[in-house]
Amino acid sequence: MLLGCIGDDFTGSSDLGNTLSKEGMRCVQYVGIPSGPAADDVEAGVVALKSRSLDRHDAVSQSLAALRWLQAQGCTQFFFKYCSTFDSTPDGNIGPVAEALAEALDAHKVIVCPAFPGTGRSVYQGHLFVNDVLLNECGMQNHPLTPMTDPDIRRWLARQTTHPVGHVAATSVLEGAAAIGRALDAEHRAGKRLIVVDALRDVDLLEIGKAADQLPLITGGSGVALGLPRNFAQRGQISKAGIAWRGQPGKCVALSGSCSTATRAQVALHGQSNPTYEIDAAKVIEGTLVPQTVTDWLLESKGVPLAYSSADPDHVAAIQDRFGGTRSAAALETFFATLAQQLVDAGIGKILTAGGETSGAVVEGLKLDTLEIGPEIDPGVPALRANDALVLALKSGNFGAEDYFAKAAQVLGSVNG
Ligand SMILES: Nc1ncnc2c1ncn2[C@@H]1O[C@H](COP(=O)(O)OP(=O)(O)OP(=O)(O)O)[C@@H](O)[C@H]1O
Ligand SMILES: O=C(O)[C@@H](O)C(=O)CO
């Protein structure tokens, strides 16, 4: 294994795996820290944690444990993947984890770059944009767990870290790898360790990747990993073969607990030509709707049936007011996990999930340990193979085109992508 990655959530980890795999690395996503060694032919390994919203001390200790496992697999470079909308609180966990990894690796000049132009995220003058609005105006300011109220990533990160935060501005980035390298050196000499790097386009990310060739630790969204496989390829270290994709025959079902705007539009479109089942959150929490009812409905339905609890913000707020946020999320996530178990027990081999927490609950509920990265469905979302009988796609809430579900079902089923 050459590149060792640590992801702070499951869907984000498959997003990173997608980028590395598209660039020709044989990439596997691990669900948590594996208990044994990796297969010999893995070139990039992504240890997927659920550390984004943990207590910062737990997030740091899990990330360091993941680092030790990746070091034991022989990795020479490491990547810490967080959200392209920099999801974190003033307490962490991006800063504390990045600093702890930097310390453990004796890494200086640590790039911090959430840019992901393919999904509209860019960084300019240290500020994060989502399409044409600043981060704190894109809806992320209302996120229930990590409200992003400041678009200046340097200022936000400084609240989470002990050392001053540096910056490489677009003026250097647009000049290319050599200028980026010089700017990183200058920030290092000025005593900065975590350095926010501007990036607007994929070509910027490729130049940043070149400049990062000899750096032990890079951090960011999946975008900034774009240029890293080319460094290994240039040294003849990777096969560029990727992993051959085998589609899975049979019925595909979709489960959505994501309440994001993008998912709600995808659910609405999918429902125009496929059967859908709206899961009543109150009934789930009160225990009057059991997973078996929905499983039976999914098994009996034609097309790509979709069961969803996705609802608009007012509806979600009403449920949370009535039952409490933690209780309602726990009940719904357990419901989706049981649903997935029942579907797999009934022989279903293709499952689509929407929502980071929902996907995490499903993957944990199914007790999966490794996910091979397959072809891209939409930017940031790859097809995944869990074992001989099961393929999946885990969609982050805000990702995917409006026809995502139909497209994903098609990719999971088709042979060779
Ligand atoms: N109808 C509902 N009422 C209240 N809460 C809900 C409802 N449906 C889903 N939820 C909760 O909303 C949360 C959705 O989170 P999830 O991470 O799955 O989606 P997301 O936030 O859109 O995705 P991402 O984290 O990738 O951006 C879950 O905790 C889920 O239990
Ligand atoms: O970077 C992103 O936006 C995603 O991979 C993600 O982490 C969403 O939770």
Side-chain angles (χ1 to χ4, degrees), residues 333-370:
E333 284 159 31
T334 305
F335 189 90
F336 278 113
T338 310
L339 207 52
Q341 283 160 359
Q342 292 173 348
L343 289 165
V344 168
D345 288 347
I348 293 293
K350 287 187 270 189
I351 301 181
L352 309 176
T353 61
E357 295 301 324
T358 309
S359 303
V362 165
V363 166
E364 286 189 335
L366 291 174
K367 300 193 171 37
L368 304 177
D369 47 19
T370 55

PDB file of all heavy atoms in Angstrom, residues 333-370:
ATOM      1  N   GLU A 333     -32.033   5.606  12.129  1.00  0.00           N
ATOM      2  CA  GLU A 333     -30.826   4.931  11.636  1.00  0.00           C
ATOM      3  C   GLU A 333     -30.877   3.430  11.944  1.00  0.00           C
ATOM      4  O   GLU A 333     -30.503   2.607  11.110  1.00  0.00           O
ATOM      5  CB  GLU A 333     -29.568   5.611  12.198  1.00  0.00           C
ATOM      6  CG  GLU A 333     -29.319   6.923  11.445  1.00  0.00           C
ATOM      7  CD  GLU A 333     -28.443   7.922  12.184  1.00  0.00           C
ATOM      8  OE1 GLU A 333     -27.568   7.484  12.934  1.00  0.00           O
ATOM      9  OE2 GLU A 333     -28.666   9.144  12.011  1.00  0.00           O
ATOM     10  N   THR A 334     -31.381   3.070  13.125  1.00  0.00           N
ATOM     11  CA  THR A 334     -31.527   1.640  13.455  1.00  0.00           C
ATOM     12  C   THR A 334     -32.533   0.995  12.500  1.00  0.00           C
ATOM     13  O   THR A 334     -32.339  -0.137  12.040  1.00  0.00           O
ATOM     14  CB  THR A 334     -32.036   1.487  14.915  1.00  0.00           C
ATOM     15  OG1 THR A 334     -31.143   2.196  15.748  1.00  0.00           O
ATOM     16  CG2 THR A 334     -32.109   0.044  15.357  1.00  0.00           C
ATOM     17  N   PHE A 335     -33.583   1.734  12.187  1.00  0.00           N
ATOM     18  CA  PHE A 335     -34.612   1.230  11.261  1.00  0.00           C
ATOM     19  C   PHE A 335     -33.985   0.914   9.894  1.00  0.00           C
ATOM     20  O   PHE A 335     -34.178  -0.164   9.335  1.00  0.00           O
ATOM     21  CB  PHE A 335     -35.700   2.300  11.128  1.00  0.00           C
ATOM     22  CG  PHE A 335     -36.928   1.849  10.395  1.00  0.00           C
ATOM     23  CD1 PHE A 335     -37.986   1.264  11.078  1.00  0.00           C
ATOM     24  CD2 PHE A 335     -37.040   2.018   9.023  1.00  0.00           C
ATOM     25  CE1 PHE A 335     -39.140   0.859  10.410  1.00  0.00           C
ATOM     26  CE2 PHE A 335     -38.168   1.621   8.341  1.00  0.00           C
ATOM     27  CZ  PHE A 335     -39.232   1.040   9.031  1.00  0.00           C
ATOM     28  N   PHE A 336     -33.199   1.868   9.364  1.00  0.00           N
ATOM     29  CA  PHE A 336     -32.577   1.655   8.045  1.00  0.00           C
ATOM     30  C   PHE A 336     -31.578   0.498   8.095  1.00  0.00           C
ATOM     31  O   PHE A 336     -31.471  -0.297   7.153  1.00  0.00           O
ATOM     32  CB  PHE A 336     -31.887   2.935   7.553  1.00  0.00           C
ATOM     33  CG  PHE A 336     -32.842   3.905   6.914  1.00  0.00           C
ATOM     34  CD1 PHE A 336     -33.127   5.124   7.512  1.00  0.00           C
ATOM     35  CD2 PHE A 336     -33.463   3.598   5.715  1.00  0.00           C
ATOM     36  CE1 PHE A 336     -34.016   6.022   6.919  1.00  0.00           C
ATOM     37  CE2 PHE A 336     -34.352   4.493   5.105  1.00  0.00           C
ATOM     38  CZ  PHE A 336     -34.623   5.703   5.719  1.00  0.00           C
ATOM     39  N   ALA A 337     -30.834   0.390   9.196  1.00  0.00           N
ATOM     40  CA  ALA A 337     -29.848  -0.698   9.311  1.00  0.00           C
ATOM     41  C   ALA A 337     -30.568  -2.054   9.303  1.00  0.00           C
ATOM     42  O   ALA A 337     -30.153  -2.989   8.606  1.00  0.00           O
ATOM     43  CB  ALA A 337     -29.031  -0.529  10.588  1.00  0.00           C
ATOM     44  N   THR A 338     -31.677  -2.154  10.034  1.00  0.00           N
ATOM     45  CA  THR A 338     -32.416  -3.425  10.088  1.00  0.00           C
ATOM     46  C   THR A 338     -33.036  -3.739   8.726  1.00  0.00           C
ATOM     47  O   THR A 338     -33.018  -4.887   8.258  1.00  0.00           O
ATOM     48  CB  THR A 338     -33.528  -3.336  11.161  1.00  0.00           C
ATOM     49  OG1 THR A 338     -32.948  -2.849  12.352  1.00  0.00           O
ATOM     50  CG2 THR A 338     -34.174  -4.683  11.410  1.00  0.00           C
ATOM     51  N   LEU A 339     -33.544  -2.701   8.091  1.00  0.00           N
ATOM     52  CA  LEU A 339     -34.117  -2.850   6.753  1.00  0.00           C
ATOM     53  C   LEU A 339     -33.074  -3.464   5.803  1.00  0.00           C
ATOM     54  O   LEU A 339     -33.358  -4.431   5.081  1.00  0.00           O
ATOM     55  CB  LEU A 339     -34.481  -1.432   6.282  1.00  0.00           C
ATOM     56  CG  LEU A 339     -35.582  -1.188   5.288  1.00  0.00           C
ATOM     57  CD1 LEU A 339     -36.858  -1.860   5.724  1.00  0.00           C
ATOM     58  CD2 LEU A 339     -35.826   0.341   5.202  1.00  0.00           C
ATOM     59  N   ALA A 340     -31.871  -2.918   5.840  1.00  0.00           N
ATOM     60  CA  ALA A 340     -30.803  -3.409   4.956  1.00  0.00           C
ATOM     61  C   ALA A 340     -30.469  -4.866   5.281  1.00  0.00           C
ATOM     62  O   ALA A 340     -30.293  -5.691   4.373  1.00  0.00           O
ATOM     63  CB  ALA A 340     -29.568  -2.525   5.082  1.00  0.00           C
ATOM     64  N   GLN A 341     -30.414  -5.186   6.576  1.00  0.00           N
ATOM     65  CA  GLN A 341     -30.110  -6.584   6.953  1.00  0.00           C
ATOM     66  C   GLN A 341     -31.181  -7.525   6.415  1.00  0.00           C
ATOM     67  O   GLN A 341     -30.875  -8.574   5.849  1.00  0.00           O
ATOM     68  CB  GLN A 341     -30.083  -6.726   8.484  1.00  0.00           C
ATOM     69  CG  GLN A 341     -28.820  -6.187   9.127  1.00  0.00           C
ATOM     70  CD  GLN A 341     -29.037  -5.890  10.625  1.00  0.00           C
ATOM     71  OE1 GLN A 341     -30.121  -6.062  11.163  1.00  0.00           O
ATOM     72  NE2 GLN A 341     -27.985  -5.419  11.268  1.00  0.00           N
ATOM     73  N   GLN A 342     -32.441  -7.121   6.560  1.00  0.00           N
ATOM     74  CA  GLN A 342     -33.538  -7.987   6.102  1.00  0.00           C
ATOM     75  C   GLN A 342     -33.504  -8.150   4.578  1.00  0.00           C
ATOM     76  O   GLN A 342     -33.777  -9.225   4.045  1.00  0.00           O
ATOM     77  CB  GLN A 342     -34.890  -7.413   6.555  1.00  0.00           C
ATOM     78  CG  GLN A 342     -35.065  -7.495   8.065  1.00  0.00           C
ATOM     79  CD  GLN A 342     -36.325  -6.785   8.558  1.00  0.00           C
ATOM     80  OE1 GLN A 342     -36.975  -6.047   7.826  1.00  0.00           O
ATOM     81  NE2 GLN A 342     -36.663  -7.013   9.826  1.00  0.00           N
ATOM     82  N   LEU A 343     -33.154  -7.070   3.887  1.00  0.00           N
ATOM     83  CA  LEU A 343     -33.095  -7.134   2.422  1.00  0.00           C
ATOM     84  C   LEU A 343     -31.994  -8.092   1.973  1.00  0.00           C
ATOM     85  O   LEU A 343     -32.194  -8.912   1.071  1.00  0.00           O
ATOM     86  CB  LEU A 343     -32.844  -5.727   1.852  1.00  0.00           C
ATOM     87  CG  LEU A 343     -34.022  -4.759   1.973  1.00  0.00           C
ATOM     88  CD1 LEU A 343     -33.565  -3.316   1.736  1.00  0.00           C
ATOM     89  CD2 LEU A 343     -35.132  -5.124   0.971  1.00  0.00           C
ATOM     90  N   VAL A 344     -30.836  -7.982   2.599  1.00  0.00           N
ATOM     91  CA  VAL A 344     -29.718  -8.863   2.228  1.00  0.00           C
ATOM     92  C   VAL A 344     -30.068 -10.308   2.580  1.00  0.00           C
ATOM     93  O   VAL A 344     -29.833 -11.223   1.782  1.00  0.00           O
ATOM     94  CB  VAL A 344     -28.412  -8.386   2.908  1.00  0.00           C
ATOM     95  CG1 VAL A 344     -27.311  -9.429   2.794  1.00  0.00           C
ATOM     96  CG2 VAL A 344     -27.957  -7.071   2.273  1.00  0.00           C
ATOM     97  N   ASP A 345     -30.688 -10.514   3.734  1.00  0.00           N
ATOM     98  CA  ASP A 345     -31.103 -11.879   4.114  1.00  0.00           C
ATOM     99  C   ASP A 345     -32.090 -12.449   3.097  1.00  0.00           C
ATOM    100  O   ASP A 345     -32.141 -13.661   2.872  1.00  0.00           O
ATOM    101  CB  ASP A 345     -31.766 -11.889   5.505  1.00  0.00           C
ATOM    102  CG  ASP A 345     -30.730 -11.662   6.604  1.00  0.00           C
ATOM    103  OD1 ASP A 345     -29.520 -11.743   6.297  1.00  0.00           O
ATOM    104  OD2 ASP A 345     -31.132 -11.369   7.749  1.00  0.00           O
ATOM    105  N   ALA A 346     -32.877 -11.559   2.477  1.00  0.00           N
ATOM    106  CA  ALA A 346     -33.863 -12.030   1.487  1.00  0.00           C
ATOM    107  C   ALA A 346     -33.243 -12.175   0.093  1.00  0.00           C
ATOM    108  O   ALA A 346     -33.946 -12.454  -0.871  1.00  0.00           O
ATOM    109  CB  ALA A 346     -35.037 -11.053   1.436  1.00  0.00           C
ATOM    110  N   GLY A 347     -31.925 -11.923  -0.021  1.00  0.00           N
ATOM    111  CA  GLY A 347     -31.238 -12.165  -1.290  1.00  0.00           C
ATOM    112  C   GLY A 347     -31.009 -10.940  -2.149  1.00  0.00           C
ATOM    113  O   GLY A 347     -30.545 -11.044  -3.282  1.00  0.00           O
ATOM    114  N   ILE A 348     -31.320  -9.750  -1.630  1.00  0.00           N
ATOM    115  CA  ILE A 348     -31.062  -8.534  -2.423  1.00  0.00           C
ATOM    116  C   ILE A 348     -29.539  -8.290  -2.501  1.00  0.00           C
ATOM    117  O   ILE A 348     -28.839  -8.351  -1.489  1.00  0.00           O
ATOM    118  CB  ILE A 348     -31.763  -7.309  -1.785  1.00  0.00           C
ATOM    119  CG1 ILE A 348     -33.285  -7.450  -1.873  1.00  0.00           C
ATOM    120  CG2 ILE A 348     -31.296  -5.988  -2.426  1.00  0.00           C
ATOM    121  CD1 ILE A 348     -33.862  -7.391  -3.273  1.00  0.00           C
ATOM    122  N   GLY A 349     -29.061  -7.990  -3.706  1.00  0.00           N
ATOM    123  CA  GLY A 349     -27.619  -7.836  -3.907  1.00  0.00           C
ATOM    124  C   GLY A 349     -27.206  -6.451  -4.353  1.00  0.00           C
ATOM    125  O   GLY A 349     -26.035  -6.207  -4.645  1.00  0.00           O
ATOM    126  N   LYS A 350     -28.175  -5.528  -4.466  1.00  0.00           N
ATOM    127  CA  LYS A 350     -27.837  -4.160  -4.913  1.00  0.00           C
ATOM    128  C   LYS A 350     -28.607  -3.162  -4.056  1.00  0.00           C
ATOM    129  O   LYS A 350     -29.839  -3.131  -4.109  1.00  0.00           O
ATOM    130  CB  LYS A 350     -28.233  -3.950  -6.374  1.00  0.00           C
ATOM    131  CG  LYS A 350     -27.345  -4.663  -7.356  1.00  0.00           C
ATOM    132  CD  LYS A 350     -27.669  -4.279  -8.787  1.00  0.00           C
ATOM    133  CE  LYS A 350     -28.710  -5.174  -9.391  1.00  0.00           C
ATOM    134  NZ  LYS A 350     -28.904  -4.989 -10.811  1.00  0.00           N
ATOM    135  N   ILE A 351     -27.879  -2.355  -3.288  1.00  0.00           N
ATOM    136  CA  ILE A 351     -28.548  -1.386  -2.408  1.00  0.00           C
ATOM    137  C   ILE A 351     -27.955   0.007  -2.626  1.00  0.00           C
ATOM    138  O   ILE A 351     -26.732   0.184  -2.636  1.00  0.00           O
ATOM    139  CB  ILE A 351     -28.403  -1.792  -0.916  1.00  0.00           C
ATOM    140  CG1 ILE A 351     -29.002  -3.182  -0.679  1.00  0.00           C
ATOM    141  CG2 ILE A 351     -29.072  -0.762  -0.002  1.00  0.00           C
ATOM    142  CD1 ILE A 351     -28.951  -3.677   0.755  1.00  0.00           C
ATOM    143  N   LEU A 352     -28.838   0.973  -2.789  1.00  0.00           N
ATOM    144  CA  LEU A 352     -28.427   2.384  -2.861  1.00  0.00           C
ATOM    145  C   LEU A 352     -28.828   3.037  -1.545  1.00  0.00           C
ATOM    146  O   LEU A 352     -29.951   2.838  -1.075  1.00  0.00           O
ATOM    147  CB  LEU A 352     -29.171   3.100  -3.988  1.00  0.00           C
ATOM    148  CG  LEU A 352     -29.152   2.439  -5.372  1.00  0.00           C
ATOM    149  CD1 LEU A 352     -30.029   3.233  -6.345  1.00  0.00           C
ATOM    150  CD2 LEU A 352     -27.719   2.386  -5.888  1.00  0.00           C
ATOM    151  N   THR A 353     -27.927   3.829  -0.956  1.00  0.00           N
ATOM    152  CA  THR A 353     -28.311   4.556   0.260  1.00  0.00           C
ATOM    153  C   THR A 353     -27.997   6.036   0.065  1.00  0.00           C
ATOM    154  O   THR A 353     -27.002   6.387  -0.581  1.00  0.00           O
ATOM    155  CB  THR A 353     -27.542   4.062   1.500  1.00  0.00           C
ATOM    156  OG1 THR A 353     -26.146   4.281   1.294  1.00  0.00           O
ATOM    157  CG2 THR A 353     -27.784   2.596   1.772  1.00  0.00           C
ATOM    158  N   ALA A 354     -28.838   6.885   0.617  1.00  0.00           N
ATOM    159  CA  ALA A 354     -28.587   8.330   0.521  1.00  0.00           C
ATOM    160  C   ALA A 354     -28.514   8.926   1.918  1.00  0.00           C
ATOM    161  O   ALA A 354     -29.386   8.677   2.755  1.00  0.00           O
ATOM    162  CB  ALA A 354     -29.694   9.001  -0.289  1.00  0.00           C
ATOM    163  N   GLY A 355     -27.453   9.719   2.144  1.00  0.00           N
ATOM    164  CA  GLY A 355     -27.232  10.368   3.438  1.00  0.00           C
ATOM    165  C   GLY A 355     -26.041   9.760   4.148  1.00  0.00           C
ATOM    166  O   GLY A 355     -25.903   8.523   4.185  1.00  0.00           O
ATOM    167  N   GLY A 356     -25.173  10.613   4.678  1.00  0.00           N
ATOM    168  CA  GLY A 356     -23.960  10.136   5.347  1.00  0.00           C
ATOM    169  C   GLY A 356     -24.285   9.262   6.554  1.00  0.00           C
ATOM    170  O   GLY A 356     -23.772   8.140   6.682  1.00  0.00           O
ATOM    171  N   GLU A 357     -25.139   9.754   7.446  1.00  0.00           N
ATOM    172  CA  GLU A 357     -25.457   8.992   8.658  1.00  0.00           C
ATOM    173  C   GLU A 357     -26.231   7.727   8.296  1.00  0.00           C
ATOM    174  O   GLU A 357     -25.995   6.653   8.841  1.00  0.00           O
ATOM    175  CB  GLU A 357     -26.301   9.837   9.630  1.00  0.00           C
ATOM    176  CG  GLU A 357     -25.585  11.060  10.195  1.00  0.00           C
ATOM    177  CD  GLU A 357     -24.319  10.708  10.955  1.00  0.00           C
ATOM    178  OE1 GLU A 357     -24.285   9.668  11.622  1.00  0.00           O
ATOM    179  OE2 GLU A 357     -23.339  11.478  10.849  1.00  0.00           O
ATOM    180  N   THR A 358     -27.160   7.881   7.368  1.00  0.00           N
ATOM    181  CA  THR A 358     -27.965   6.737   6.942  1.00  0.00           C
ATOM    182  C   THR A 358     -27.063   5.659   6.336  1.00  0.00           C
ATOM    183  O   THR A 358     -27.177   4.471   6.669  1.00  0.00           O
ATOM    184  CB  THR A 358     -29.019   7.202   5.909  1.00  0.00           C
ATOM    185  OG1 THR A 358     -29.712   8.327   6.460  1.00  0.00           O
ATOM    186  CG2 THR A 358     -29.995   6.111   5.565  1.00  0.00           C
ATOM    187  N   SER A 359     -26.150   6.077   5.469  1.00  0.00           N
ATOM    188  CA  SER A 359     -25.239   5.117   4.830  1.00  0.00           C
ATOM    189  C   SER A 359     -24.358   4.444   5.879  1.00  0.00           C
ATOM    190  O   SER A 359     -24.103   3.238   5.814  1.00  0.00           O
ATOM    191  CB  SER A 359     -24.350   5.823   3.803  1.00  0.00           C
ATOM    192  OG  SER A 359     -25.137   6.471   2.839  1.00  0.00           O
ATOM    193  N   GLY A 360     -23.881   5.252   6.845  1.00  0.00           N
ATOM    194  CA  GLY A 360     -23.038   4.696   7.908  1.00  0.00           C
ATOM    195  C   GLY A 360     -23.798   3.639   8.688  1.00  0.00           C
ATOM    196  O   GLY A 360     -23.270   2.563   8.996  1.00  0.00           O
ATOM    197  N   ALA A 361     -25.055   3.925   8.998  1.00  0.00           N
ATOM    198  CA  ALA A 361     -25.868   2.972   9.761  1.00  0.00           C
ATOM    199  C   ALA A 361     -26.059   1.682   8.962  1.00  0.00           C
ATOM    200  O   ALA A 361     -25.971   0.577   9.510  1.00  0.00           O
ATOM    201  CB  ALA A 361     -27.228   3.599  10.093  1.00  0.00           C
ATOM    202  N   VAL A 362     -26.284   1.812   7.661  1.00  0.00           N
ATOM    203  CA  VAL A 362     -26.498   0.627   6.813  1.00  0.00           C
ATOM    204  C   VAL A 362     -25.225  -0.222   6.740  1.00  0.00           C
ATOM    205  O   VAL A 362     -25.247  -1.444   6.936  1.00  0.00           O
ATOM    206  CB  VAL A 362     -26.979   1.063   5.409  1.00  0.00           C
ATOM    207  CG1 VAL A 362     -26.857  -0.061   4.394  1.00  0.00           C
ATOM    208  CG2 VAL A 362     -28.420   1.562   5.489  1.00  0.00           C
ATOM    209  N   VAL A 363     -24.094   0.445   6.483  1.00  0.00           N
ATOM    210  CA  VAL A 363     -22.833  -0.286   6.340  1.00  0.00           C
ATOM    211  C   VAL A 363     -22.470  -0.982   7.656  1.00  0.00           C
ATOM    212  O   VAL A 363     -22.046  -2.147   7.669  1.00  0.00           O
ATOM    213  CB  VAL A 363     -21.717   0.693   5.884  1.00  0.00           C
ATOM    214  CG1 VAL A 363     -20.344   0.082   6.050  1.00  0.00           C
ATOM    215  CG2 VAL A 363     -21.940   1.088   4.436  1.00  0.00           C
ATOM    216  N   GLU A 364     -22.677  -0.296   8.768  1.00  0.00           N
ATOM    217  CA  GLU A 364     -22.382  -0.914  10.068  1.00  0.00           C
ATOM    218  C   GLU A 364     -23.378  -2.031  10.360  1.00  0.00           C
ATOM    219  O   GLU A 364     -23.007  -3.086  10.867  1.00  0.00           O
ATOM    220  CB  GLU A 364     -22.374   0.134  11.171  1.00  0.00           C
ATOM    221  CG  GLU A 364     -21.122   0.988  11.095  1.00  0.00           C
ATOM    222  CD  GLU A 364     -20.927   1.923  12.279  1.00  0.00           C
ATOM    223  OE1 GLU A 364     -21.920   2.294  12.939  1.00  0.00           O
ATOM    224  OE2 GLU A 364     -19.780   2.308  12.522  1.00  0.00           O
ATOM    225  N   GLY A 365     -24.653  -1.777  10.032  1.00  0.00           N
ATOM    226  CA  GLY A 365     -25.685  -2.793  10.273  1.00  0.00           C
ATOM    227  C   GLY A 365     -25.402  -4.072   9.495  1.00  0.00           C
ATOM    228  O   GLY A 365     -25.674  -5.171   9.963  1.00  0.00           O
ATOM    229  N   LEU A 366     -24.844  -3.917   8.299  1.00  0.00           N
ATOM    230  CA  LEU A 366     -24.549  -5.092   7.467  1.00  0.00           C
ATOM    231  C   LEU A 366     -23.211  -5.729   7.846  1.00  0.00           C
ATOM    232  O   LEU A 366     -22.795  -6.719   7.259  1.00  0.00           O
ATOM    233  CB  LEU A 366     -24.538  -4.698   5.982  1.00  0.00           C
ATOM    234  CG  LEU A 366     -25.894  -4.310   5.386  1.00  0.00           C
ATOM    235  CD1 LEU A 366     -25.737  -3.807   3.948  1.00  0.00           C
ATOM    236  CD2 LEU A 366     -26.856  -5.494   5.419  1.00  0.00           C
ATOM    237  N   LYS A 367     -22.516  -5.094   8.807  1.00  0.00           N
ATOM    238  CA  LYS A 367     -21.218  -5.601   9.296  1.00  0.00           C
ATOM    239  C   LYS A 367     -20.238  -5.827   8.134  1.00  0.00           C
ATOM    240  O   LYS A 367     -19.568  -6.855   8.037  1.00  0.00           O
ATOM    241  CB  LYS A 367     -21.404  -6.894  10.091  1.00  0.00           C
ATOM    242  CG  LYS A 367     -22.300  -6.703  11.304  1.00  0.00           C
ATOM    243  CD  LYS A 367     -22.231  -7.863  12.253  1.00  0.00           C
ATOM    244  CE  LYS A 367     -22.927  -7.610  13.567  1.00  0.00           C
ATOM    245  NZ  LYS A 367     -24.167  -6.834  13.527  1.00  0.00           N
ATOM    246  N   LEU A 368     -20.179  -4.839   7.230  1.00  0.00           N
ATOM    247  CA  LEU A 368     -19.260  -4.946   6.098  1.00  0.00           C
ATOM    248  C   LEU A 368     -17.873  -4.526   6.571  1.00  0.00           C
ATOM    249  O   LEU A 368     -17.754  -3.666   7.444  1.00  0.00           O
ATOM    250  CB  LEU A 368     -19.732  -4.034   4.962  1.00  0.00           C
ATOM    251  CG  LEU A 368     -21.173  -4.301   4.504  1.00  0.00           C
ATOM    252  CD1 LEU A 368     -21.586  -3.312   3.427  1.00  0.00           C
ATOM    253  CD2 LEU A 368     -21.305  -5.735   3.982  1.00  0.00           C
ATOM    254  N   ASP A 369     -16.826  -5.125   6.010  1.00  0.00           N
ATOM    255  CA  ASP A 369     -15.509  -4.665   6.441  1.00  0.00           C
ATOM    256  C   ASP A 369     -14.683  -4.016   5.341  1.00  0.00           C
ATOM    257  O   ASP A 369     -13.942  -3.081   5.595  1.00  0.00           O
ATOM    258  CB  ASP A 369     -14.716  -5.758   7.182  1.00  0.00           C
ATOM    259  CG  ASP A 369     -14.758  -7.087   6.452  1.00  0.00           C
ATOM    260  OD1 ASP A 369     -15.068  -7.079   5.255  1.00  0.00           O
ATOM    261  OD2 ASP A 369     -14.470  -8.108   7.098  1.00  0.00           O
ATOM    262  N   THR A 370     -14.822  -4.482   4.089  1.00  0.00           N
ATOM    263  CA  THR A 370     -14.088  -3.801   3.019  1.00  0.00           C
ATOM    264  C   THR A 370     -15.019  -3.511   1.848  1.00  0.00           C
ATOM    265  O   THR A 370     -15.955  -4.274   1.577  1.00  0.00           O
ATOM    266  CB  THR A 370     -12.910  -4.655   2.462  1.00  0.00           C
ATOM    267  OG1 THR A 370     -13.422  -5.902   2.061  1.00  0.00           O
ATOM    268  CG2 THR A 370     -11.812  -4.848   3.465  1.00  0.00           C
TER     269      THR A 370
END
